[in-house]
Amino acid sequence: MSSPLTDLFPHPIVQAPMAGGVSVPQLAAAVSEAGGLGFLAAGYKTADGMYQEIKQLRGLTGRPFGVNLFLPQPEYADPSAVEVYAHQLAGEAAWYTTELGDPDSGRDDGYDAKLAVLLDNPVPVVSFHFGVPKPQVLESLHRAGTFTLVTVTTADEALAVERAGAGAVIAQGMEAGGHQGTHRDLPELDGSGLGLLALIAQIRETVSLPIVAAGGIMRGHQIAAALACGATAAQLGTAFLATPESGANALHKQALTNPLYVRTELTRAFSGRPARGLVNRFLREHGPYAPAAYPEVHHLTSPLRKAAAKAGDAQGMALWAGQGHRMARELPAGQLVEVLTAEIEAARDALTPGGGAR
């Protein structure tokens, strides 16, 4: 199914933009060179840091790629709840001999400055997480020749994206690792999201935009299933996290298939927003008490997570992972794209009359 988005890359495989140092230029370049769509994650970086990574990526590949931005968050966190959580984390700070971060370190993630860079130096694709950009932002990017996508978790969010003028939606099911891209952070809705296939079906009946499927996808036959349900491509994060080109901490990569980590869970423990990660000590002990306060909690726990990684303690790290994490393969990113593509074709052949369906 051709669209202005999928015309940019031959294989229906998008490498998810994973913030926190995972989606480095080497990973994005390897995916794009193999015929997928590689992505850089601008989240938690400065505008100049993002620009330098774009320059580096352009030196590694001439193929299309994308950059992901976080939308600024409204100020509705309860300061007293953040203070209470900080007191609870005091023992963690003492254990790792570090200080807690400043919860008031900034709410907009340098959004306007990053947009200015992307308008002055356009890239092929820009995606957005945590909300809907203003129509004039999407129109400006369109005029610059950039294709735009926005993450959605409901059909209503997809409708808002269509009305704003984006080029496509990323349908993020509950299975997805990392942060849920909900447009409003409502604690009363925690855990009530839709699985990927149900979400694709609802979005397809609500909007006419191309759909990129995201959530727990680790194999080519899963991509084929999403395409059969109406998606035009699939976005994979955890599958690429384990690749040698990924910038993820070695402990994080090893934890994906470590029998010690048997399941994932949505938690606010590390950032104050629902995000799916491997269940470890920190998540178990602090998840039930973490307030709905993003990015305050993210800033608060940042030194703890860095100290845990430095100490080699995966039990104190944010081990973001989707529900399919045990299926991770330690293949080079380009080879993984090739394997996934072959699996997609095999799945299609199996469903074709005379193609081996049983």
Side-chain angles (χ1 to χ4, degrees):
M1 187 183 300
S2 177
S3 74
L5 173 64
T6 54
D7 287 347
L8 292 172
F9 48 104
H11 303 314
I13 298 168
V14 178
Q15 165 246 312
M18 296 168 280
V22 178
S23 296
V24 293
Q26 292 81 2
L27 174 59
V31 172
S32 290
E33 282 291 301
L37 182 67
F39 251 97
L40 294 175
Y44 311 135
K45 293 184 176 72
T46 63
D48 183 64
M50 177 194 73
Y51 176 63
Q52 295 303 323
E53 287 205 344
I54 292 172
K55 283 179 60 178
Q56 185 179 352
L57 178 53
R58 282 180 166 143
L60 296 172
T61 182
R63 294 180 179 268
F65 62 90
V67 175
N68 175 256
L69 299 180
F70 288 168
L71 269 292
Q73 297 301 288
E75 296 187 28
Y76 50 58
D78 179 358
S80 63
V82 176
E83 186 176 350
V84 168
Y85 194 54
H87 284 302
Q88 181 178 331
L89 296 177
E92 297 281 350
W95 175 258
Y96 291 116
T97 61
T98 189
E99 300 289 330
L100 294 174
D102 178 6
D104 299 317
S105 297
R107 307 193 57 81
D108 66 358
D109 199 48
Y111 179 73
D112 289 338
K114 291 172 185 176
L115 272 179
V117 170
L118 293 171
L119 289 171
D120 286 342
N121 302 271
V123 299
V125 181
V126 170
S127 68
F128 298 86
H129 212 58
F130 298 147
V132 186
K134 294 179 180 178
Q136 54 265 41
V137 168
L138 296 169
E139 175 59 27
S140 295
L141 288 167
H142 177 71
R143 287 198 303 269
T146 297
F147 190 90
T148 54
L149 305 93
V150 180
T151 301
V152 302
T153 60
T154 68
D156 285 343
E157 289 178 349
L159 187 58
V161 170
E162 184 175 56
R163 288 171 174 167
V169 295
I170 301 167
Q172 186 191 41
M174 282 285 287
E175 305 94 332
H179 284 93
Q180 289 285 300
T182 52
H183 295 182
R184 297 181 64 201
D185 186 14
L186 302 174
E188 61 269 25
L189 297 181
D190 282 3
S192 65
L194 292 172
L196 178 58
L197 296 186
L199 180 60
I200 293 172
Q202 290 190 18
I203 291 175
R204 191 179 182 193
E205 293 190 2
T206 304
V207 301
S208 59
L209 294 176
I211 300 169
V212 176
I217 299 176
M218 303 293 288
R219 296 287 187 266
H221 62 263
Q222 293 173 289
I223 297 174
L227 298 178
C229 288
T232 60
Q235 179 174 279
L236 291 73
T238 306
F240 286 106
L241 194 152
T243 64
E245 294 91 343
S246 154
N249 186 286
L251 292 171
H252 194 169
K253 294 183 181 184
Q254 294 162 9
L256 295 175
T257 53
N258 187 333
L260 182 65
Y261 303 100
V262 297
R263 64 187 179 89
T264 63
E265 190 175 294
L266 284 170
T267 184
R268 294 178 180 271
F270 298 100
S271 71
R273 236 184 185 273
R276 185 173 297 281
L278 300 174
V279 176
N280 60 4
R281 177 194 61 79
F282 194 103
L283 190 155
R284 286 193 303 270
E285 292 183 2
H286 302 293
Y289 312 104
Y294 178 88
E296 289 87 352
V297 172
H298 163 77
H299 295 314
L300 193 68
T301 68
S302 179
L304 299 179
R305 291 177 274 126
K306 291 176 182 177
K310 186 176 180 180
D313 182 10
Q315 294 293 334
M317 297 168 57
L319 303 173
W320 303 136
Q323 289 182 341
H325 65 94
R326 297 297 293 273
M327 301 167 71
R329 298 179 279 201
E330 296 180 13
L331 298 173
Q335 184 180 346
L336 180 56
V337 172
E338 294 173 0
V339 169
L340 289 167
T341 301
E343 291 172 346
I344 294 169
E345 292 307 315
R348 285 172 167 166
D349 288 345
L351 296 174
T352 302
R358 291 192 290 268

